[in-house]
Amino acid sequence: MRTIRTARFIRGGEASSTNINDEKGFHLAPFIEEVIRGRFPKHTTHTITLLGYHFDPKTVVKLSDTDSVIKKVIFVNPSQIDVVITSGNRQGKVPITTENKGLISNNPIKTIQITNPFWIDLRKTSIEDMGLEFSPGIALYQDQKKGLFANGEGRIWNRGVKFIKHTWQRKDELEFSFVFTAYGKGLSAFGIGGSNIDVNNLNHENLYKPEIQLYYANGFCNAFYGGGKEKAWSQRIGKTITFKKNKFYKVKFHRSGISGTQVSISEVDKSNFDIELAQVHGWISNCPASEPVLTPYWSVVSNPDVFLTAFRIG
């Protein structure tokens, strides 16, 4: 046995250079390089993508935990297999392997992650427990009925807050939602930032340094801004929105971090953000941002009339 690059192979009965998994030729161990969309909720049927080498139509895919079940394996090409999985009740990381005729991809071990997404309610969670990183001069306040609001010193687009305790991978294409409530016009911006943002060095560019964020200007809200490190980006959403006083609104990125994903705004019940009372608007994002690690992000512009109420990842 010998090793070439990352692929181990064993000589079969007769050498063949045309069919690497021929019964009479070489048998190569499949190798998983990356798992796409590998984080998803429990009790969900979900398709992941395995990228790697030496896959074929007979490659066997296995999970180490029988609580989650592989329903279907779809061979796309020697570098890609799609796997339909129904997750069970157990949460946590589950090793996933591929096998060709007894040769297993087990170094390094790749995993999927089964989660139980829940709302981070900023009306109840203590500020100390939120895991925040923010620009100098920001003062945060908490209202037990509305959520967080803030003010700060200096130029308004030189201030930002990252929720660094709550991050996720772009490649997992997770749903991300946040809820806010407004009591006036003012300005504010909420959305998704990249973990690379330096909140101490925004250079008056906070409107564009995040990945994508709702630019709140009540009665004038018709655009999203961002672009991250790729370029300054904005997109008109096709409708001017007026947010009503004492109402709670949810902005949902259906597959966060993906250009072409659906984005929607709805009015929700203040006690249960999963209950959508009315659809306000929806459109397709063309944001070009590409930072691999994402986090909730808030551009703080000293507006006591707009409250960030909650968010959920997944």
Side-chain angles (χ1 to χ4, degrees):
M1 180 180 290
R2 57 178 174 150
T3 301
I4 296 179
R5 295 178 183 172
T6 57
R8 289 172 297 185
F9 66 91
I10 298 176
R11 181 178 294 277
E14 179 181 337
S16 170
S17 60
T18 58
N19 188 344
I20 60 174
N21 284 324
D22 192 304
E23 287 289 341
K24 297 180 180 180
F26 293 107
H27 302 310
L28 298 183
F31 180 81
I32 303 174
E33 186 173 51
E34 188 174 11
V35 181
I36 306 297
R37 296 184 300 280
R39 174 178 168 182
F40 55 98
K42 62 182 185 178
H43 302 304
T44 300
T45 297
H46 177 81
T47 300
I48 69 169
T49 293
L50 303 180
L51 301 180
Y53 307 98
H54 310 315
F55 301 141
D56 71 27
K58 294 183 179 180
T59 295
V60 176
V61 182
K62 295 181 180 180
L63 297 174
S64 67
D65 186 350
T66 57
D67 189 52
S68 294
V69 179
I70 294 175
K71 307 297 288 187
K72 189 175 183 180
V73 176
I74 305 164
F75 172 77
V76 179
N77 58 53
S79 299
Q80 178 179 335
I81 290 179
D82 292 340
V83 185
V84 181
I85 300 172
T86 297
S87 55
N89 189 58
R90 286 198 288 271
Q91 301 176 55
K93 292 184 177 182
V94 180
I96 184 169
T97 57
T98 51
E99 179 179 335
N100 287 343
K101 295 293 183 181
L103 299 176
I104 302 173
S105 60
N106 59 0
N107 187 22
I109 294 292
K110 298 296 184 180
T111 63
I112 61 172
Q113 184 173 2
I114 310 302
T115 64
N116 184 27
F118 59 93
W119 286 98
I120 307 297
D121 192 332
L122 303 177
R123 299 170 298 185
K124 302 174 182 178
T125 306
S126 71
I127 293 176
E128 291 77 13
D129 291 337
M130 291 179 191
L132 303 179
E133 181 179 307
F134 48 87
S135 307
I138 289 178
L140 296 175
Y141 305 91
Q142 187 174 44
D143 186 290
Q144 294 185 346
K145 293 183 179 180
K146 303 170 187 175
L148 294 182
F149 70 98
N151 59 33
E153 301 173 354
R155 304 170 74 184
I156 64 173
W157 296 116
N158 277 351
R159 298 189 293 269
V161 177
K162 292 197 296 185
F163 292 78
I164 58 175
K165 185 178 178 180
H166 304 277
T167 62
W168 69 100
Q169 299 287 326
R170 178 185 297 277
K171 68 182 181 181
D172 285 331
E173 301 179 13
L174 295 177
E175 180 180 291
F176 173 71
S177 303
F178 68 85
V179 174
F180 71 97
T181 186
Y183 288 77
K185 292 189 176 180
L187 296 175
S188 196
F190 307 119
I192 302 171
S195 64
N196 63 313
I197 296 175
D198 181 359
V199 293
N200 297 307
N201 188 29
L202 294 171
N203 295 325
H204 207 56
E205 297 254 335
N206 206 19
L207 198 58
Y208 298 107
K209 286 200 173 181
E211 302 293 289
I212 181 172
Q213 56 182 344
L214 168 69
Y215 178 74
Y216 173 88
N218 207 8
F220 298 90
C221 177
N222 59 1
F224 269 55
Y225 288 85
K229 63 185 179 182
E230 297 302 318
K231 65 176 183 179
W233 166 88
S234 67
Q235 181 183 9
R236 291 186 175 273
I237 64 177
K239 182 178 181 179
T240 298
I241 301 173
T242 299
F243 299 104
K244 298 178 181 178
K245 184 178 180 179
N246 294 323
K247 302 292 185 180
F248 289 79
Y249 295 92
K250 177 170 66 178
V251 178
K252 179 164 66 175
F253 303 88
H254 293 252
R255 292 172 65 193
S256 65
I258 302 301
S259 182
T261 192
Q262 181 183 357
V263 184
S264 61
I265 301 177
S266 58
E267 180 190 340
V268 294
D269 184 278
K270 66 180 181 180
S271 300
N272 186 343
F273 305 135
D274 293 319
I275 298 176
E276 298 184 355
L277 303 177
Q279 291 295 317
V280 177
H281 189 50
W283 72 99
I284 302 299
S285 166
N286 61 14
C287 179
S290 62
E291 179 66 21
V293 180
L294 305 178
T295 185
Y297 191 81
W298 180 15
S299 293
V300 175
V301 291
S302 296
N303 187 0
D305 294 325
V306 182
F307 296 81
L308 182 57
T309 307
F311 64 82
R312 184 176 66 184
I313 302 165

